Amino acid sequence: MGEQPCYTLINFPTDSEPHNEMQLKLDLEKGDIKKKIEALKKVISIILSGEKIPGLLMIIIRFVLPLQDHTIKKLLLIFWEIVPKTTPDGKLMQEMILVCDAYRKDLQHPNEFLRGSTLRFLCKLKEPELLEPLMPAIRACLDHRHSYVRRNAVLAIFTIYRNFEFLIPDAPELVGTFLEGEQDMSCKRNAFLMLLHADQERALSYLAERLDNVHAFGDILQLVIVELIYKVCHANPSERSRFIRTVYGLLNAPSAAVRYEAAGTLVTLSCAPAAIKAAAACYIDLIVKESDNNVKLIVVGKLSGLRAAGGEAGARALPDLAMDVLRVLAASDLDVRRHTLHLALELLTARHAEELVSTLRKEAARAQLADHDDAHKYRQLLVRAMHRAALKFPEVASSVSPALLELLGDGSEVAAQDVLTYLRHALHAFPDQRPKVYAKLLECISSLSVGKIVRSALWLLAEFADTAESARAALDVLAAAMPAAAPTDDSEPKAEKKESEKEVPKEKEAPARQLVTSDGAYATQSAFNLPKVTTDNNTNGLSSALRDGESFTAACACSALAKLALRVGDPEQANRALHLAASLLAYHKQNAGTAPNSGLTADDMEHGATCVRAAAARPPVIRDALLGGSRRALAALLALPDRAAPSLLPEAEQQQARTEREARSARRVEVETGINFAALAGAAAAAHHDVFELSLNKALQGRPTGSEERGKLSKVTQLTGFSDPVYAEAIVAVNQYDIVLDVLVVNQTDDTLQNCTVELATLGELRLVERPAGVVLAPRDFATIRAHVKVASTENGIIFGNIVYEVSGASMDRGVVVLNDIHIDIVDYIQPAACSDADFRHMWAEFEWENKVSVNTNITDLREYLQHLLASTNMKCLTPDKALSGQCGFMAANLYARSIFGEDALANLSIETPLHRANAPVVGHVRIRAKTQGMALSLGDKINMMHKSAPQKAPEPVSAAA
C-alpha cells in the first residue's frame, strides 16, 4: 500500500481484536445496518494493513453496495479507493463493471450530497476503463441546481483531463463556457483553477476582461488569480506591467490570506523600493491584526527573508519601517517578541535609533507592571535589545543607561545581570559618558541585595573609579553599608558596662486592654507587645548582602576596597578603605556560627586578608595587576565576537554565520549529486525559480539532517549476505517524525520468486505503519520495497525481520532469509542547539534524570576527545573556545542539544590526563541530564559505543557561547 497514491488518512486503534473471516462475511451478508457498518470498517483496516480476504468483493457488491444508508455510502467510497481493482496481469476485474454501474446511478441520484461525494471519489480513480462509461453523467452534473455538485463536477473533469485527456478532450472549452455563466464563487474558483493549469490563455483572457473587478471577487478566487499572475509573469516577465496594479490592489483585500499571497507575489514581480515597502507594510499589518502566534512567526520570518533578499532596494526601503515593526510587540507570545526585536534591530538606522530606544524604554516601563509568566523574560529581551542598539549607535547610549538602571531594582530581576553586562560595556566603551553612568550606579548599588549582582556591581565600582572624587564617593557608599563590628568584652571595662546599662531606661509597659473575641473568650493586647518597626537603613540592600549574604560577596567587597585604596590619591582615604575592609573581616570573624549565613569560609577569609595586605604594602606587581591588568582583560573579553553584544536569536545568528562560512569555503559535492546544465535550461529558468515548486519540494523533503547533507550513500545498511538467495540492503531516511526504509531486494537465483515479502518488526518506541506488500521477482531481477516506521520519542530503537518468498514450480518451496538488525541512532533525532548559561543552569537543576558515564578511551588528547564526543552525539559545546584553549591537563565543558520532539539534552564533560604518565589516555566522566529517562539512557549508550569507534571530528566549530 505504501507505493499507491493516498488521499485519505485513517487512524485505527492498534489494540483491536484479531478479525474472524467467516464472521465478517456473515455480518456483511446477513447482518443489520449497524453490523454491516462495523464489518465494513474492519475490512477497510485489514486491507490497509496489507492483508487480503479472498471472496469478499462479490459479497460487498451483492449485499452492501445496493444499500442507501449514507454512512455505508461514505465507507464504500473509502473501500473502493483502496481495494485492488485489477488482476495480477493488470487487467480490470470483471466485478468492477457492476461497481461502475452503481456509481453511474449515484451520479444521477436526486440527493446532492451523494452526487457530490461520488464526484470527489471519481477524482481518485486511476483506471480509465472505469471512468469512460461515467463521462456523460459527469458532464450532466455541470448543470445541476446545487453548487456543491457543480464545483465537484468541475474538479472531477479537471482531474480526469489531467490524467486521461483522451476521455474529455474538450474540457477547457467546456469549463470556460461554464465559467462565463457561473455565479457561485466556489464553482468559479474551481473552474478558474482548472483553466490556470490546463489552458492559461483562456484563463488570462477571462481575467483581462475583469481586471477592474478583481477586488469584488471572493477570497478563494482571488487566491487563484494571484497564483495565475505569478505563474504568467514568471514565465513571461514582459507581462509584469500588465498585472502589477492588480496585485497592488489586492494588498488591501479583506482576506488575510489574499494579502499575504499578494505581498509575496509583489516582491517577485518588482524589486523597486516602493514595492518592497508596500509588501513589508502589508506583512506588518498582518502580524498586528492576526491572533494566531504561529501565523505571526511565519510572517515575521517572511519579513526577515524580505530584508535578506531585498538587496540595495530593501536596504533603502525597509529601514523606514523599523518603528512600524515594533507594533508587533503588542503580541503576548515571547517568541514573536524575540523575533520582532531581532528584526527591528537589523533594520535600525541612525535616523531612527533615538526613537526606537524611546519606544523600548516605554515598553520596559510597561513591562515592569505586567505580571504574566513570561514578563521577566520579556524585560530581559528589552534590556538586551537596548544594549545592542547602544552598541550599534553610541549616540543613544546616554538615554539607554538611565533606563536600564531603573530596571536594576534590588537585583532579583532576571534582567539585572544583563543590565550590569551593559554597564560594563558602556563604562569601558564610552568614556565621555562614564561620570554620569558611574554616578547613577552609586545611587542604585545601595538597594542591591542579590549576591551575584552585588559582586558584579562592586567590581564595576572599583574598576571604573578613575578619579579621586569618584573613589571617595564609592568609599562613602560602601562605608554606609558596612556592618559595625561589636566591641569585645575585654575592650570595655565592666564598671563602664554597668553604668551604660543603668543609663538605658527600661521601657514602661502600657496597660493591657482586655478584648472579647468572636467566640466569647477574653484576650489581651498591648501596643508594646507588637513587633517593632525598625528604622535602621542598614537592614536591607547592600548592607544585608555584606552582612548576611553569601561568603564570597564579602570577599569581593574586600577586593573592591583594596582596589579603591590603590586608586584614591589621599593616604587618609586609602587607610579608610583598608579599615573598612578589615572591619568587615572582623565582623564576620566575630559572628561566625551565630547565624546560618554568618562567617566566611577559610578561602574567602584568606582572599580578603590577602587583598588588604597587598593594598597596604602596594608592591608594583600587585598595583599593575589590580589597576591595569583587569582593564586589559576586560578589553580582550569584549573584543571576542560572541561577547560583543548579547544575542536575541542565538540559533538564527549562528545559522547566518554558518551560511557565510560555507559561502567563503569551497563547496564539497557528493558523487551522487546531479549536474545542472545552465545552457540547456531556458532563460527564465536560469534567472528565477518558481516559489510554488520550491516550497512544495521543501515540504516533501522534510527537514534536512547532517546525514542527508553528507549524501544518501552514507546511510546504506546491508541486510543480507552476498551469498544469500535474496540480497537486500536499505537506505534509512529519518524524517521529522517517521523513518522511511527503501529496501532494495535482488533475486540472485535462476528461479522466479513469488510473493517475496519483507516482514519487519520493531523494538523500542517505534511502530510499523503498514506491512510492505509482496512482489514477484523474475530470475536475477530486483525491486524496491518501501516501509514506514513511526517514531514516538527520542530513544534508540531496533528494526529486525526477515524476507519470505516462494519458489514457483511444482513444489512451491518456501524460503526465509533472516535480516540483519537495523539500529536507529538517537543522533538522527537530536540537533545541536544553543542556550544561555542561565537557561542551562536552570534546566540542569530542573531535570531529574541523570546518567553518569565513565570515560573509557584510548584517546590521549583532551581536545581530540571533545571533538570526537561532539561528532558522535551531535551536541553543541556551550563553553567558549577561549576557555578551552591551552594545556593544563584538565577540561570541563557544557554540551547541549535539542531533539526534533522538543526535548532538551544537557551534558557536562569533566576529563583529565594524568600528568605523571606520558601518553596516558583521557579519564573522567560525562554527566547527562534530561527530562525523560529514555533520552538520558540513550545518550549514555551512544557515548559508550563512541568509546569503541575511531575518533572523528565535529563538523561544527566548538565555540558557541550563548
Side-chain angles (χ1 to χ4, degrees), residues 461-492:
L461 214 62
E463 179 62 32
F464 293 100
D466 295 335
T467 62
E469 290 78 10
S470 59
R472 280 195 295 270
L475 284 175
D476 293 339
V477 171
L478 294 179
M482 284 292 166
T488 60
D489 292 339
D490 298 335
S491 62
E492 185 178 1

mmCIF file of all heavy atoms in Angstrom, residues 461-492:
data_model
loop_
_atom_site.group_PDB
_atom_site.id
_atom_site.type_symbol
_atom_site.label_atom_id
_atom_site.label_comp_id
_atom_site.label_asym_id
_atom_site.label_seq_id
_atom_site.Cartn_x
_atom_site.Cartn_y
_atom_site.Cartn_z
ATOM 1 N N LEU A 461 32.266 49.211 40.442
ATOM 2 C CA LEU A 461 32.505 50.393 41.280
ATOM 3 C C LEU A 461 33.999 50.618 41.504
ATOM 4 O O LEU A 461 34.483 51.761 41.447
ATOM 5 C CB LEU A 461 31.794 50.185 42.626
ATOM 6 C CG LEU A 461 31.210 51.429 43.312
ATOM 7 C CD1 LEU A 461 30.143 52.046 42.429
ATOM 8 C CD2 LEU A 461 30.603 51.036 44.655
ATOM 9 N N ALA A 462 34.740 49.543 41.728
ATOM 10 C CA ALA A 462 36.173 49.686 41.995
ATOM 11 C C ALA A 462 36.977 49.852 40.715
ATOM 12 O O ALA A 462 37.985 50.578 40.695
ATOM 13 C CB ALA A 462 36.671 48.462 42.770
ATOM 14 N N GLU A 463 36.540 49.210 39.626
ATOM 15 C CA GLU A 463 37.326 49.238 38.394
ATOM 16 C C GLU A 463 37.267 50.588 37.708
ATOM 17 O O GLU A 463 38.257 51.051 37.132
ATOM 18 C CB GLU A 463 36.819 48.137 37.453
ATOM 19 C CG GLU A 463 37.530 48.078 36.117
ATOM 20 C CD GLU A 463 39.010 47.764 36.262
ATOM 21 O OE1 GLU A 463 39.379 47.035 37.215
ATOM 22 O OE2 GLU A 463 39.802 48.257 35.444
ATOM 23 N N PHE A 464 36.113 51.254 37.739
ATOM 24 C CA PHE A 464 35.948 52.493 36.964
ATOM 25 C C PHE A 464 35.934 53.735 37.843
ATOM 26 O O PHE A 464 35.393 54.782 37.441
ATOM 27 C CB PHE A 464 34.672 52.406 36.134
ATOM 28 C CG PHE A 464 34.749 51.368 35.049
ATOM 29 C CD1 PHE A 464 34.174 50.120 35.223
ATOM 30 C CD2 PHE A 464 35.439 51.624 33.872
ATOM 31 C CE1 PHE A 464 34.259 49.152 34.237
ATOM 32 C CE2 PHE A 464 35.529 50.662 32.882
ATOM 33 C CZ PHE A 464 34.942 49.419 33.061
ATOM 34 N N ALA A 465 36.519 53.645 39.047
ATOM 35 C CA ALA A 465 36.723 54.836 39.877
ATOM 36 C C ALA A 465 38.019 55.510 39.421
ATOM 37 O O ALA A 465 39.060 55.443 40.086
ATOM 38 C CB ALA A 465 36.779 54.446 41.350
ATOM 39 N N ASP A 466 37.946 56.172 38.274
ATOM 40 C CA ASP A 466 39.155 56.705 37.646
ATOM 41 C C ASP A 466 39.688 57.949 38.333
ATOM 42 O O ASP A 466 40.872 58.264 38.236
ATOM 43 C CB ASP A 466 38.868 57.015 36.167
ATOM 44 C CG ASP A 466 38.565 55.743 35.382
ATOM 45 O OD1 ASP A 466 39.024 54.669 35.813
ATOM 46 O OD2 ASP A 466 37.873 55.828 34.351
ATOM 47 N N THR A 467 38.839 58.687 39.013
ATOM 48 C CA THR A 467 39.278 59.930 39.669
ATOM 49 C C THR A 467 39.204 59.761 41.180
ATOM 50 O O THR A 467 38.508 58.861 41.694
ATOM 51 C CB THR A 467 38.397 61.109 39.236
ATOM 52 O OG1 THR A 467 37.039 60.859 39.642
ATOM 53 C CG2 THR A 467 38.424 61.275 37.722
ATOM 54 N N ALA A 468 39.915 60.651 41.882
ATOM 55 C CA ALA A 468 39.898 60.587 43.344
ATOM 56 C C ALA A 468 38.518 60.900 43.889
ATOM 57 O O ALA A 468 38.078 60.327 44.895
ATOM 58 C CB ALA A 468 40.933 61.569 43.917
ATOM 59 N N GLU A 469 37.775 61.795 43.213
ATOM 60 C CA GLU A 469 36.431 62.136 43.683
ATOM 61 C C GLU A 469 35.486 60.937 43.582
ATOM 62 O O GLU A 469 34.714 60.655 44.504
ATOM 63 C CB GLU A 469 35.865 63.302 42.866
ATOM 64 C CG GLU A 469 36.536 64.638 43.121
ATOM 65 C CD GLU A 469 37.879 64.747 42.415
ATOM 66 O OE1 GLU A 469 38.190 63.849 41.579
ATOM 67 O OE2 GLU A 469 38.616 65.705 42.690
ATOM 68 N N SER A 470 35.555 60.225 42.451
ATOM 69 C CA SER A 470 34.685 59.049 42.303
ATOM 70 C C SER A 470 35.075 57.954 43.281
ATOM 71 O O SER A 470 34.209 57.252 43.823
ATOM 72 C CB SER A 470 34.745 58.525 40.864
ATOM 73 O OG SER A 470 36.079 58.167 40.521
ATOM 74 N N ALA A 471 36.377 57.797 43.562
ATOM 75 C CA ALA A 471 36.803 56.793 44.539
ATOM 76 C C ALA A 471 36.290 57.154 45.935
ATOM 77 O O ALA A 471 35.832 56.274 46.679
ATOM 78 C CB ALA A 471 38.320 56.674 44.536
ATOM 79 N N ARG A 472 36.350 58.462 46.314
ATOM 80 C CA ARG A 472 35.837 58.864 47.630
ATOM 81 C C ARG A 472 34.326 58.656 47.717
ATOM 82 O O ARG A 472 33.801 58.241 48.755
ATOM 83 C CB ARG A 472 36.190 60.324 47.904
ATOM 84 C CG ARG A 472 37.635 60.526 48.374
ATOM 85 C CD ARG A 472 37.835 61.906 48.969
ATOM 86 N NE ARG A 472 37.652 62.953 47.972
ATOM 87 C CZ ARG A 472 38.634 63.445 47.203
ATOM 88 N NH1 ARG A 472 39.861 62.943 47.328
ATOM 89 N NH2 ARG A 472 38.401 64.392 46.330
ATOM 90 N N ALA A 473 33.625 58.948 46.609
ATOM 91 C CA ALA A 473 32.173 58.734 46.612
ATOM 92 C C ALA A 473 31.840 57.249 46.774
ATOM 93 O O ALA A 473 30.902 56.893 47.497
ATOM 94 C CB ALA A 473 31.575 59.275 45.313
ATOM 95 N N ALA A 474 32.631 56.404 46.137
ATOM 96 C CA ALA A 474 32.405 54.971 46.286
ATOM 97 C C ALA A 474 32.673 54.518 47.717
ATOM 98 O O ALA A 474 31.942 53.689 48.276
ATOM 99 C CB ALA A 474 33.287 54.198 45.305
ATOM 100 N N LEU A 475 33.727 55.077 48.331
ATOM 101 C CA LEU A 475 34.019 54.729 49.721
ATOM 102 C C LEU A 475 32.892 55.172 50.657
ATOM 103 O O LEU A 475 32.545 54.463 51.610
ATOM 104 C CB LEU A 475 35.343 55.368 50.154
ATOM 105 C CG LEU A 475 36.624 54.694 49.645
ATOM 106 C CD1 LEU A 475 37.850 55.500 50.055
ATOM 107 C CD2 LEU A 475 36.722 53.277 50.169
ATOM 108 N N ASP A 476 32.316 56.339 50.400
ATOM 109 C CA ASP A 476 31.208 56.809 51.238
ATOM 110 C C ASP A 476 30.013 55.856 51.144
ATOM 111 O O ASP A 476 29.363 55.550 52.151
ATOM 112 C CB ASP A 476 30.788 58.216 50.806
ATOM 113 C CG ASP A 476 31.870 59.252 51.102
ATOM 114 O OD1 ASP A 476 32.726 58.979 51.973
ATOM 115 O OD2 ASP A 476 31.881 60.317 50.441
ATOM 116 N N VAL A 477 29.727 55.389 49.935
ATOM 117 C CA VAL A 477 28.598 54.468 49.769
ATOM 118 C C VAL A 477 28.860 53.154 50.484
ATOM 119 O O VAL A 477 27.989 52.609 51.178
ATOM 120 C CB VAL A 477 28.332 54.240 48.262
ATOM 121 C CG1 VAL A 477 27.306 53.121 48.060
ATOM 122 C CG2 VAL A 477 27.840 55.511 47.605
ATOM 123 N N LEU A 478 30.077 52.635 50.341
ATOM 124 C CA LEU A 478 30.394 51.363 50.985
ATOM 125 C C LEU A 478 30.481 51.502 52.498
ATOM 126 O O LEU A 478 30.090 50.586 53.231
ATOM 127 C CB LEU A 478 31.714 50.813 50.431
ATOM 128 C CG LEU A 478 31.700 50.406 48.952
ATOM 129 C CD1 LEU A 478 33.078 49.906 48.524
ATOM 130 C CD2 LEU A 478 30.666 49.314 48.709
ATOM 131 N N ALA A 479 30.966 52.653 52.973
ATOM 132 C CA ALA A 479 31.049 52.858 54.420
ATOM 133 C C ALA A 479 29.662 52.879 55.052
ATOM 134 O O ALA A 479 29.466 52.388 56.177
ATOM 135 C CB ALA A 479 31.793 54.159 54.713
ATOM 136 N N ALA A 480 28.694 53.451 54.344
ATOM 137 C CA ALA A 480 27.332 53.500 54.882
ATOM 138 C C ALA A 480 26.697 52.125 54.954
ATOM 139 O O ALA A 480 25.765 51.910 55.742
ATOM 140 C CB ALA A 480 26.475 54.422 54.015
ATOM 141 N N ALA A 481 27.169 51.184 54.150
ATOM 142 C CA ALA A 481 26.571 49.849 54.117
ATOM 143 C C ALA A 481 27.334 48.840 54.945
ATOM 144 O O ALA A 481 26.882 47.701 55.081
ATOM 145 C CB ALA A 481 26.488 49.355 52.664
ATOM 146 N N MET A 482 28.493 49.229 55.513
ATOM 147 C CA MET A 482 29.313 48.265 56.239
ATOM 148 C C MET A 482 28.688 47.937 57.594
ATOM 149 O O MET A 482 28.271 48.844 58.325
ATOM 150 C CB MET A 482 30.728 48.822 56.458
ATOM 151 C CG MET A 482 31.589 48.784 55.222
ATOM 152 S SD MET A 482 31.980 47.097 54.783
ATOM 153 C CE MET A 482 32.584 47.357 53.129
ATOM 154 N N PRO A 483 28.611 46.647 57.957
ATOM 155 C CA PRO A 483 28.156 46.297 59.315
ATOM 156 C C PRO A 483 29.242 46.619 60.331
ATOM 157 O O PRO A 483 30.436 46.406 60.081
ATOM 158 C CB PRO A 483 27.913 44.785 59.209
ATOM 159 C CG PRO A 483 28.810 44.333 58.113
ATOM 160 C CD PRO A 483 28.902 45.478 57.139
ATOM 161 N N ALA A 484 28.850 47.168 61.485
ATOM 162 C CA ALA A 484 29.826 47.564 62.503
ATOM 163 C C ALA A 484 30.206 46.355 63.346
ATOM 164 O O ALA A 484 29.340 45.579 63.768
ATOM 165 C CB ALA A 484 29.242 48.662 63.399
ATOM 166 N N ALA A 485 31.508 46.216 63.597
ATOM 167 C CA ALA A 485 31.980 45.117 64.441
ATOM 168 C C ALA A 485 31.708 45.440 65.898
ATOM 169 O O ALA A 485 31.997 46.549 66.374
ATOM 170 C CB ALA A 485 33.472 44.888 64.205
ATOM 171 N N ALA A 486 31.134 44.502 66.627
ATOM 172 C CA ALA A 486 30.812 44.713 68.040
ATOM 173 C C ALA A 486 32.097 44.727 68.862
ATOM 174 O O ALA A 486 33.026 43.969 68.591
ATOM 175 C CB ALA A 486 29.886 43.606 68.533
ATOM 176 N N PRO A 487 32.193 45.606 69.871
ATOM 177 C CA PRO A 487 33.399 45.618 70.711
ATOM 178 C C PRO A 487 33.492 44.329 71.529
ATOM 179 O O PRO A 487 32.485 43.752 71.933
ATOM 180 C CB PRO A 487 33.215 46.839 71.600
ATOM 181 C CG PRO A 487 31.736 47.053 71.636
ATOM 182 C CD PRO A 487 31.206 46.611 70.315
ATOM 183 N N THR A 488 34.708 43.881 71.751
ATOM 184 C CA THR A 488 34.939 42.655 72.531
ATOM 185 C C THR A 488 34.691 42.926 74.010
ATOM 186 O O THR A 488 34.644 44.076 74.466
ATOM 187 C CB THR A 488 36.366 42.152 72.317
ATOM 188 O OG1 THR A 488 37.273 43.167 72.748
ATOM 189 C CG2 THR A 488 36.611 41.862 70.843
ATOM 190 N N ASP A 489 34.571 41.872 74.793
ATOM 191 C CA ASP A 489 34.315 42.015 76.227
ATOM 192 C C ASP A 489 35.502 42.618 76.954
ATOM 193 O O ASP A 489 35.352 43.325 77.939
ATOM 194 C CB ASP A 489 34.007 40.643 76.836
ATOM 195 C CG ASP A 489 32.682 40.112 76.320
ATOM 196 O OD1 ASP A 489 31.874 40.940 75.857
ATOM 197 O OD2 ASP A 489 32.472 38.872 76.362
ATOM 198 N N ASP A 490 36.740 42.347 76.494
ATOM 199 C CA ASP A 490 37.932 42.852 77.182
ATOM 200 C C ASP A 490 38.188 44.308 76.907
ATOM 201 O O ASP A 490 38.881 44.981 77.654
ATOM 202 C CB ASP A 490 39.163 42.032 76.766
ATOM 203 C CG ASP A 490 38.995 40.573 77.170
ATOM 204 O OD1 ASP A 490 38.236 40.310 78.134
ATOM 205 O OD2 ASP A 490 39.600 39.714 76.485
ATOM 206 N N SER A 491 37.660 44.825 75.823
ATOM 207 C CA SER A 491 37.984 46.200 75.452
ATOM 208 C C SER A 491 37.173 47.204 76.241
ATOM 209 O O SER A 491 37.499 48.377 76.245
ATOM 210 C CB SER A 491 37.722 46.405 73.950
ATOM 211 O OG SER A 491 36.344 46.186 73.683
ATOM 212 N N GLU A 492 36.140 46.779 76.935
ATOM 213 C CA GLU A 492 35.318 47.729 77.681
ATOM 214 C C GLU A 492 35.312 47.333 79.151
ATOM 215 O O GLU A 492 34.995 46.192 79.493
ATOM 216 C CB GLU A 492 33.882 47.709 77.133
ATOM 217 C CG GLU A 492 32.993 48.764 77.775
ATOM 218 C CD GLU A 492 31.596 48.748 77.168
ATOM 219 O OE1 GLU A 492 31.350 47.914 76.294
ATOM 220 O OE2 GLU A 492 30.771 49.554 77.588
#
